[in-house]
């Protein structure tokens, strides 16, 4: 196709000579054949648009016709149609009617009651047993109620009329009642009502390796020891309500004096001592009379209980006031009492107490 499109190819002399010979050989003339031309025109009409001539491919593309005004109007109409459609889509739908329904939970009650009745009807044999157990259970509950009602009547010592349970000393003696319940069959002496919970500043801790007091109160060990302690308090001006007596091992075997306390007995008195200090909020000093009492006081300091450093609790070691510990000449006993008085005097000074004053 490129060779045929070249203009030099058709101007060649050889080509002209060849074409003249071709025309002469086949009887070609310049006059066209009418019959052939008519057939060719009809064939072109049939094949137009179906076959594409190779020369048409190399020919330049025809210029595109500019659209007229009417097609432009159509396009604008088509463009406006979707816009109108979009507007119809964006329009909010109409709200539907709201239907409210009221639900009443009345049906739930019989549903819960049915399974409760079924086991009773399904097991008729169990009804007599239940009937027998019901009176027994009622009898047991009635017995418990009766026992609870009779419990206060069995403890006449807790009555408010007793001086041991006066308001100023009741918390301490209630603590003693609790210790009695911990170990039934043992005796725990009360604290004399002349002492006071609110005014107490000094705790006198005794090594109770002796018999219990016949008056049923905590004491120094015997009558002679109690006399020595009262004389010392009188000389110092230490009022009874400023101090509180307590035993290292609170429990006594009825009718039997305590021998030398064992380490287990001393350790058993630690928790009751801590509970007593919580009842006495203003105690800041402990005077430990005897070896066992001093051992218990040192055990208390090793516990690092908060009340120790909050109060600045101090322990004073003193001699026991009874038995062999205080056996000696009058001069030795006088020296021991003087040392004991110094300990109490220092404890009074730390608590801000003055002789004969609150």
């Amino acid at each position: 196709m490129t060779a045929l499109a070249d203009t030099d190819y058709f101007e060649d002399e050889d080509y002209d000579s060849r074409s003249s010979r071709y025309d002469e050989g086949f009887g070609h003339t310049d006059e066209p054949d009418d019959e052939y031309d008519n057939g060719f025109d009809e064939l072109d009409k049939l094949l137009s648009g179906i076959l594409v001539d190779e020369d048409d491919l190399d020919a330049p593309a025809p210029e595109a016709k500019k659209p007229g005004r009417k097609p432009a109007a159509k396009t604008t109409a088509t463009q406006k149609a979707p816009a109108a459609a979009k507007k119809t889509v964006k329009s909010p739908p109409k709200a539907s009617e709201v239907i409210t329904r009221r639900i009443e939970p009345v049906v739930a009650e019989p549903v819960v009651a049915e399974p409760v009745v079924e086991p009773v009807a399904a097991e008729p044999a169990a009804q007599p047993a239940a009937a027998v157990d019901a009176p027994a259970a009622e009898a047991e509950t009635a017995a418990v109620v009766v026992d609870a009602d009779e419990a206060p009547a069995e403890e006449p010592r807790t009555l408010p009329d007793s001086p041991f349970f006066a308001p100023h000393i009741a918390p301490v003696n209630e603590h003693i009642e609790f210790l009695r319940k911990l170990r039934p069959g043992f005796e725990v002496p009360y604290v004399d009502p002349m002492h006071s919970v609110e005014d107490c500043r000094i705790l006198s801790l005794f090594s109770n390796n002796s018999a219990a007091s016949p008056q049923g109160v905590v004491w120094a060990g015997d009558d002679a020891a109690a006399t020595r302690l009262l004389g010392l308090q009188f000389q110092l001006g230490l009022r009874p309500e400023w101090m509180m007596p307590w035993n290292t091992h609170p429990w006594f075997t009825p009718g039997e004096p305590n021998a030398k306390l064992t380490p287990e007995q001393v350790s058993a008195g630690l928790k009751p001592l801590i509970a007593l200090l919580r009842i006495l909020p203003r105690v800041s000093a402990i005077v430990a009379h005897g070896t066992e009492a001093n051992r218990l006081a040192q055990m208390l300091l090793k516990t690092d209980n908060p009340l120790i450093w909050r109060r600045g609790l101090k322990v004073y070691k003193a001699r026991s006031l009874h038995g062999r510990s205080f056996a000696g000449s009058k001069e030795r006993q006088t020296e021991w009492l003087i040392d004991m008085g110094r300990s109490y005097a220092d404890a009074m000074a730390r608590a801000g107490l003055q002789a004969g004053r609150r």
Side-chain angles (χ1 to χ4, degrees):
M1 296 295 293
T2 56
L4 295 176
D6 192 0
T7 55
D8 297 337
Y9 179 80
F10 294 98
E11 293 177 359
D12 191 4
E13 295 178 356
D14 297 333
Y15 174 78
D16 296 335
S17 61
R18 287 193 298 268
S19 61
S20 61
R21 287 184 227 152
Y22 177 78
D23 294 335
E24 292 176 358
F26 290 92
H28 177 72
T29 60
D30 295 335
E31 297 178 0
D33 190 1
D34 295 334
E35 295 179 2
Y36 176 77
D37 292 337
N38 293 331
F40 181 77
D41 293 338
E42 294 177 1
L43 183 63
D44 288 341
K45 291 178 182 180
L46 293 174
L47 298 179
S48 62
I50 298 175
L51 299 178
V52 180
D53 192 4
E54 292 180 358
D55 295 337
D56 296 336
L57 295 175
D58 294 334
E63 294 182 358
K65 294 182 181 180
K66 294 183 180 181
R69 293 181 181 179
K70 292 183 180 180
K74 292 181 179 180
T75 55
T76 55
T78 55
Q79 290 178 357
K80 289 181 180 180
K86 291 182 181 179
K87 289 182 180 180
T88 56
V89 173
K90 289 184 179 179
S91 62
K94 295 182 180 180
S96 59
E97 296 181 359
V98 180
I99 300 172
T100 59
R101 295 181 181 178
R102 183 177 179 182
I103 300 173
E104 296 181 357
V106 181
V107 186
E109 296 180 359
V111 175
V112 178
E114 289 179 0
V116 178
V117 180
E118 288 178 357
V120 178
E123 297 179 359
Q127 291 180 356
V132 173
D133 294 339
E138 293 178 357
E140 291 179 359
T141 54
V144 172
V145 173
V146 171
D147 293 339
D149 296 337
E150 293 179 355
E154 295 178 358
E155 297 180 359
R157 298 177 182 176
T158 60
L159 295 176
D161 297 337
S162 175
F164 291 101
F165 293 94
H168 67 281
I169 198 62
V172 175
N173 287 327
E174 288 175 358
H175 174 50
I176 291 174
E177 285 289 337
F178 175 74
L179 296 178
R180 287 184 174 185
K181 294 177 181 179
L182 286 180
R183 300 184 66 180
F186 288 86
E187 182 182 354
V188 182
Y190 289 110
V191 175
D192 197 291
M194 66 178 177
H195 303 286
S196 174
V197 173
E198 295 295 331
D199 297 331
C200 180
R201 304 291 194 280
I202 303 171
L203 181 67
S204 297
L205 189 60
F206 302 129
S207 298
N208 54 319
N209 48 5
S210 61
S213 172
Q215 289 79 21
V217 295
V218 180
W219 67 342
D222 52 24
D223 291 334
T227 303
R228 297 186 187 104
L229 184 59
L230 288 175
L232 182 63
Q233 294 175 5
F234 178 77
Q235 291 180 359
L236 295 173
L238 181 60
R239 302 171 65 91
E241 58 266 25
W242 291 348
M243 61 171 295
M244 184 76 63
W246 191 254
N247 288 325
T248 301
H249 187 70
W251 297 276
F252 283 87
T253 302
E256 298 181 5
N258 284 341
K260 185 177 181 179
L261 299 179
T262 63
E264 291 78 11
Q265 290 176 325
V266 175
S267 300
L270 180 60
K271 290 183 179 180
L273 176 60
I274 295 175
L276 177 67
L277 291 175
R278 291 175 179 172
I279 297 172
L280 306 175
R282 307 178 74 178
V283 169
S284 60
I286 298 176
V287 180
H289 293 273
T291 305
E292 291 83 355
N294 184 64
R295 188 180 302 167
L296 179 61
Q298 296 302 321
M299 291 174 61
L300 173 65
L301 296 178
K302 292 179 181 179
T303 58
D304 294 333
N305 197 291
L307 63 87
I308 297 174
W309 54 267
R310 286 177 183 173
R311 304 182 189 182
L313 191 67
K314 185 175 181 180
V315 175
Y316 297 90
K317 184 179 180 180
R319 183 175 289 272
S320 181
L321 289 167
H322 74 96
R324 297 179 180 180
S325 299
F326 209 78
S329 61
K330 293 183 178 180
E331 291 78 8
R332 296 291 300 276
Q333 291 181 359
T334 303
E335 293 178 0
W336 295 335
L337 288 174
I338 292 173
D339 293 339
M340 197 179 301
R342 290 173 180 171
S343 298
Y344 277 100
D346 187 71
M348 292 174 62
R350 293 184 75 256
L353 299 176
Q354 295 181 4
R357 299 180 183 178
R358 289 182 181 272

